[in-house]
Amino acid sequence: MPAQDHEQTILLGVTGCIAAYKACELVRLYKKAGKRVKVVMTPMGTEFVTPATFRTLSEEPVALKAVDDPNAAIQHIVLAQEADVFVIAPATANTINKLAHGVGDNLLTTTALATGAPLLIAPAMNVHMWRDETTQASLVALRERGAIIIEPESGYLACGDTGEGRLASVEEIFAATIVELDRARSLEGKRILVTAGPTREFLDPVRFISSPSSGITGYAIAEEAARRGAEVVLISGPVELPDPFGCTVIRVQTAQQMLAAAERHFKDLDAAIFTAAVSDFRPEATAQHKVKKKAASPEVRLVQNPDILATLAARVGADFDTAATPVAGSNPASSTAPAPGADFGTHTPFIVGFAAETQDVIEQARQKLIDKHADLIVANDVSSPTLGFASTHNRWHFVTAERVETSAVLSKKALASLLLDKL
Ligand code: C5P
């Protein structure tokens, strides 16, 4: 588990290139700043600087092999969990390409696969290796997954060439590390509620109305928020995803169940993020037994489901309005009285809604912002077959009353991080 209440742990990965000697200075800077530093080296890394040097500077054993001690805990898992941030400096083209493809063939690459800590990569290599198409594609893939690339500098290289590929300055790598460590604690003490996935509205015990929502977005947001120190309650419809690390997960099926669960937890929140693709309608009645094929074609009457976001967001307004200026009937949410025990203390939760649209994306989002009493609507165009619902990538428009900001096409994990930066 990332160190929260003690000194922060920086895991420094050192790979095999001449710039490895600069990692010694980096360890010194981290130590001077009062951080705990664990160094993990690739076998080639040890050809350039001996582990003894890093052991002395870091005052910690250096991790070299997965099974140094057969009686010890599993090294890569321990390292992965201890790390508040994983910095790979210098990172060779070889290691970068392996990371992009999920190869775990040494302790450093296996640990990178196992950790949920932010990953900072400071490449160092020959200019031709840097410009190589594979290397560039790997950097794009890693960036999309949320890794931070500390761009190399251009100049004279140890191999005699001139061009990009020289390790960024240790001061720059140090500063980027500190920014990440601060971000990792940016939501400490905050309580966040997230809804995710589709809902199922049953016609009979085996048939339901639903949507193809994968839940990836909500799960990525919940996990990232927990990683930044927030206390997270994730209310999820049926999805095929494991519980995200560090969150309280409540699994529900229907919109009504989702609303009931969200109501129970809609207290003392700092933010509520509604990503669920809730079914707007449900059958008026659910048959107790499976409807037989041979029966006459059944008529299905649909009724409106509650809008979870709008219902709860309106309560925030109601709670405050009644406390401040009790104007009878002025609140559109007056039909939904504050939940018993709803207590927002001195601050209102920041309400985020999502809007999946196929046309007039921004306009629709602006309208939703008003209709649903949200502070931010994250809008996305789901008309493209490669983005949105079941895909891993998306482009988001962050729509508030003041402005619209549009992201690049990024992985949902990277987008989750971007959203939490905005909170
Ligand atoms: O109006 P529309 O369904 O497009 O709004 C989407 C936003 O509202 C999402 O944030 C979604 O989670 C939320 N929503 C909800 N309950 C509903 C319908 C939508 O919370 N019944």
Side-chain angles (χ1 to χ4, degrees), residues 195 255 274-280 305-310 352-357 368 372 377:
T195 70
F274 297 88
T275 73
V278 184
S279 172
D280 290 327
N305 257 333
D307 188 311
I308 301 166
L309 192 177
V352 182
F354 275 67
E357 303 294 344
K368 238 162 241 185
K372 298 196 184 224
I377 292 284

